[in-house]
Amino acid sequence: MAMPPASPLRPRSAPPASPLTRPPHAPSASRGSRLARGLLAILALVLAPLTPREIVAQVDPSLSWRTLRTEHFRVHFSPGLDSVARRAAGSAERAWGRLAAELHEPRGPVDLVVADNVDYTNGNATVFPSNRITIFARPVVDASSLRFLDDWIDLAVSHELTHIFHLDRSRGWWRLGQYVFGRNPFLFPGLYTPSWLDEGVAVYFETKLTGAGRIAGTDHYSIVRAQVLDGVAPALTAISQATPRWPGGNQVYAYGSLLVDYEARRRAGGMRDFIERTAGRTIPFLLNTNARAAFGMGFDSALVAFTDSVRRAALAVGATTAHDLTATGWSTERLRWLDAGHLRYANDDARDVTALRDVDVTDGATRWVERRNSLDVTTTLRDGARLFTQLDFIDPYTLRGDLYLERGGETTRLTDGARLTQADVFQPAGARASAVVAVQLEPGTARLVRLNVEGGRAGPVERLTAASIDTLWSEPRWSHDGTRIAAARWRRGGTQDIVVLDAVTGRIVQSVGASRAVVVSPAWSAGDTAIFFTSDRSGRSALYRASLANGALSLVASSATALIESEPSPDGTRLATTQLRGDGAHVAIVPLGAGTRADSTSVLPAGHNDPVVVAGDSARAYRPWRTLLPTYWLPAYQQTDDAKPMYGFITSGTDVVGRHAWTLQTTYSPDHQEPSYDFSYAYAGLKNPLLGVASTEEWDHFALFDPKSAGSSNPVRVGTLARRKVITDLALTLQRPRLRSNSSLSVGAEFEYRDFRTDPSALIARMDPGYSRSYTYPAFFVSAGFSNVKFPALAISYEDGVQLAASARTRWRSDSASGTHSNSVVAVASAFKALDFAGFAHHVIAVRAAAGWENSNAPTDFNAGGTSGSQLSVIPGVVLGDGRRTFGVRGFAGDAQYGSQALGGSFEYRAPLGLPNGGLWNTPLFFRSLSAIAFADAATAWCPAGTAPSAACPLGPTPRDWLASAGAELDLDAALEYDVPYRFRLGVAQPVAGRKYTGATGPALFFALGLSF
């Protein structure tokens, strides 16, 4: 299921510079980074679901999970979720039966995980490494596109199961390849189709199976209608979750679902035919060819025809004129009047992070007030303090909503893990305490609660309504006299209404506006004689008024697109609302007149599902081993250090809740007859810390020459010395994620074993006796990272924060005299400052400094030079990009200098250029944005005076000469397979110092991937 548009629930801060969660900026300074690479491989290859392209949250693997078995599913659930899991199991089996009548059945069974560790509505599905679904037991109480439903569990399960039916399907040589390579992620044709198609198919069946959902509702039509009327409707190649044109990628769901529905209505059986054709097509992204054969019309033509029909229908409907106050849209919610001339609202404009803003209703001038983690309501108290709820982590896996108080620039968290949202405040005249009513989330449901806040403390949370999986409460509002509370209520079957409750007892006093439609956003009129609310019963979201005297309904205002909120002004002459436009929701004003009479009928379709609950025997304890087994393998090709080929394979596994994860790569060199391997394992069952183990076997080769030919122009090679290294790492990482910062601390130990052999083997006896022995090197390392940078939706760079990383390592040689050991330390600091200049995103000044030191016994050196970036594995063994460099200098070779000490720094000015916002025909490549960078790099690596020859300094002391360059880059932010983001950099660097370390005197062109830091 989708997250709401531009949801602030996604973390807005970059990950910490931790060896176990290595972001692009972290240094690789110690052997501990070997463990980092192993764990990163696990996370990238296994834990991140490849399909569908949705925001994915990690469930808490440390909980006492249980498993319920049905005919087609293994349902895994965490404590307290037995009833939700049984409802999910029943919905899943029913959905399976209905989908099996429409599409080819997937290979089962399917693992269905029901979790409740995050306070936002979401779900995900993946076909790799096996068919798996996760739904989070937070019901829908805020996402506008998801509020027309009969049963939120039924909707979520039907949607995600459709992904499994659709994307598991493989035919022809794709299926043949899977017979050989297993569930290889490269061999699912559905993974090469765009996200709008994947989500369009899932939303289409979500509605067909349940009778409700997003196609039956009005939100998706409103999005398309708004863009069509504003002349910004996208071409097919511009519909991507990576788009910068619509909040949160929800454009994918809107256009995808309605376009698929438009095509499916053209020909009976067309959906099955289309999916079967795509599953067997050699080039799966030839979508128009498949669509013409299945539906009789290609998607490009269908999009033009569909949007034309939407335009004609929109122009034929009259509507009240709403006056927009804000110039930009994106995500705007939770309007409140400050006074007769100003409105306060939560906003994510994509250029900045989510914040509280004010707007002047006279001239539309906006003012930034305060940063927020969530798009939720803020109430301003009489003394200027502000009460609000927002999300934050309470442990590495648990994200909860709590009540906060901001006074005098200081913010205090009033509750801890209370799971509160949508708080409204009543402050009686002269009273010291404020009464708060809020929605409290519980497993599978949402109820109303109240509490008192006095000073900087909150009282106990008291229940107002009962918790039931068949009834959801949302958006409570105090009456002006504080005696009653109005709230939106959803009941199973899709009936929604506005309910008036007694503020003390929670007893229901009255219900108004009931309809099988979305009925939300209640607000009291002056004098508490009527309630304004929003409903889409007419086919588009509009503003209504319900008289409390007789329940009579009036249509107050409507729009050609949609009006989403209703907030009457203090003088009762205007309504503040949010109006949907082509770039998202704008704050708008409509005059408040008498309105026209309305009734409770709804044009939205009726549902047809009753709850199905799986009963029977008790669930058993969760067993991870079945889903931890490998399901695929990838062929691997590498080269030895002397350019000999190595052949092998890669495989991995993770259990469905992510408690265990492992990856293995093993290769063999026929020329040297040497095996190598790289193995990593992560255990998350402790919650915090994360336990990681990595082991590697690798070989180095050195040519041996006849001493008699030493010094000649043609020395005689007599053999090869091979050095084998087996290195095992163990690390514990403490994690402290927050939505505004992220930090971690890792400690670990390493054990390295070395031995030697020669070819021919007889040479070993005639060489140094030391080569006949084996050696061990125990080591200890520690690393830490911190980051509090921002990264808005349209940003071209990290902004307004710092990233800090440091690591230290001590290594002993077991056969050496006491005290013989090597030490190394590396520290990196980066800072970013956003500048509010013209452009679709902020301009950014970025600076970075790095330092490294190791003693004379260190076995490796620091390198200065090279272009820093990231790597892209095209296929196993074929990699683009040079990867991260701690002391990079663009325009120089990566090993231009080396030594036991190093310094480096960079300065960059990053500026936005434009938004291509389009794909390359029907290939899985999407061009998102262009930016430019002017940079200056400098670094040096040297061996200080008095240094004896060593592995790090084979020539003894070397001068501390600086390498420096200046230049510019053109950066393209793109998305591979339509949604996976990548940055491609093309630049020119002019060396300005240290030219003797490069063979050229002129500028050097370079290509790189990812941010430089």
Side-chain angles (χ1 to χ4, degrees), residues 260-389:
V260 166
D261 180 64
Y262 184 84
E263 288 276 50
R265 293 174 184 271
R266 293 176 52 83
R267 182 175 295 174
M271 278 300 303
R272 183 186 180 98
D273 185 17
F274 173 78
I275 290 175
E276 289 295 299
R277 289 177 181 274
T278 304
R281 180 79 66 177
T282 300
I283 304 177
F285 46 80
L286 295 179
L287 304 179
N288 283 318
T289 301
N290 297 338
R292 280 192 293 269
F295 304 118
M297 179 182 286
F299 280 122
D300 282 319
S301 300
L303 180 62
V304 173
F306 170 67
T307 53
D308 281 347
S309 68
V310 171
R311 181 183 295 106
R312 291 193 299 270
L315 294 175
V317 177
T320 304
T321 300
H323 172 60
D324 286 348
L325 295 177
T326 51
T328 58
W330 208 257
S331 294
T332 300
E333 299 183 18
R334 308 303 177 192
L335 306 177
R336 294 292 185 270
W337 288 90
L338 280 177
D339 52 46
H342 297 87
L343 281 161
R344 180 159 285 174
Y345 59 100
N347 172 252
D348 179 359
D349 66 356
R351 204 169 184 269
D352 205 343
V353 294
T354 305
L356 186 67
R357 298 179 186 272
D358 292 346
V359 60
D360 189 306
V361 298
T362 303
D363 58 14
T366 59
R367 181 178 70 93
W368 185 93
V369 179
E370 188 181 38
R371 184 178 178 181
R372 286 286 185 267
N373 294 349
S374 309
L375 287 171
D376 211 342
V377 64
T378 295
T379 301
T380 303
L381 305 182
R382 289 191 176 90
D383 63 357
R386 294 186 281 265
L387 270 170
F388 58 94
T389 61

Side-chain angles (χ1 to χ4, degrees), residues 721-912:
L721 174 68
R723 178 177 64 188
R724 181 172 68 123
K725 296 184 291 185
V726 179
I727 304 166
T728 301
D729 297 316
L730 171 67
L732 292 172
T733 296
L734 291 166
Q735 308 163 80
R736 189 183 183 276
R738 295 294 183 267
L739 286 180
R740 299 190 187 184
S741 66
N742 213 334
S743 55
S744 66
L745 173 67
S746 298
V747 294
E750 176 187 284
F751 185 83
E752 179 177 346
Y753 172 86
R754 292 187 182 184
D755 61 9
F756 302 86
R757 76 178 190 182
T758 59
D759 179 25
S761 59
L763 283 174
I764 195 104
R766 302 187 345 232
M767 297 173 59
D768 187 321
Y771 292 122
S772 300
R773 300 168 51 191
S774 61
Y775 300 86
T776 58
Y777 301 87
F780 171 81
F781 56 86
V782 59
S783 60
F786 172 80
S787 175
N788 67 352
V789 296
K790 300 176 183 177
F791 202 89
L794 292 180
I796 62 170
S797 164
Y798 299 135
E799 299 179 358
D800 292 332
V802 299
Q803 294 175 330
L804 307 173
S807 61
R809 180 171 178 266
T810 296
R811 179 175 180 268
W812 294 267
R813 179 170 161 175
S814 60
D815 64 328
S816 298
S818 176
T820 302
H821 60 278
S822 65
N823 298 319
S824 64
V825 178
V826 173
V828 180
S830 302
F832 307 87
K833 176 59 181 174
L835 305 174
D836 196 14
F837 296 160
F840 66 86
H842 291 134
H843 296 231
V844 176
I845 292 176
V847 294
R848 180 179 184 271
W853 171 89
E854 58 189 17
N855 67 3
S856 60
N857 296 318
T860 57
D861 53 42
F862 296 117
N863 291 330
T867 301
S868 183
S870 60
Q871 292 183 323
L872 170 63
S873 179
V874 181
I875 58 174
V878 179
V879 177
L880 296 179
D882 290 337
R884 184 61 47 214
R885 294 188 179 276
T886 307
F887 305 101
V889 182
R890 282 161 277 200
F892 291 84
D895 57 353
Q897 287 183 345
Y898 58 88
S900 60
Q901 297 183 27
L903 295 171
S906 294
F907 171 88
E908 292 189 357
Y909 185 91
R910 303 169 177 175

Side-chain angles (χ1 to χ4, degrees), residues 424-464:
D424 192 51
V425 181
F426 174 67
Q427 190 178 25
R432 297 179 58 188
S434 300
V436 178
V437 62
V439 175
Q440 184 177 51
L441 301 170
E442 292 196 351
T445 188
R447 66 182 185 183
L448 299 182
V449 296
R450 59 171 295 173
L451 66 158
N452 291 327
V453 174
E454 184 173 354
R457 304 187 66 179
V461 176
E462 301 174 353
R463 186 185 73 179
L464 269 179

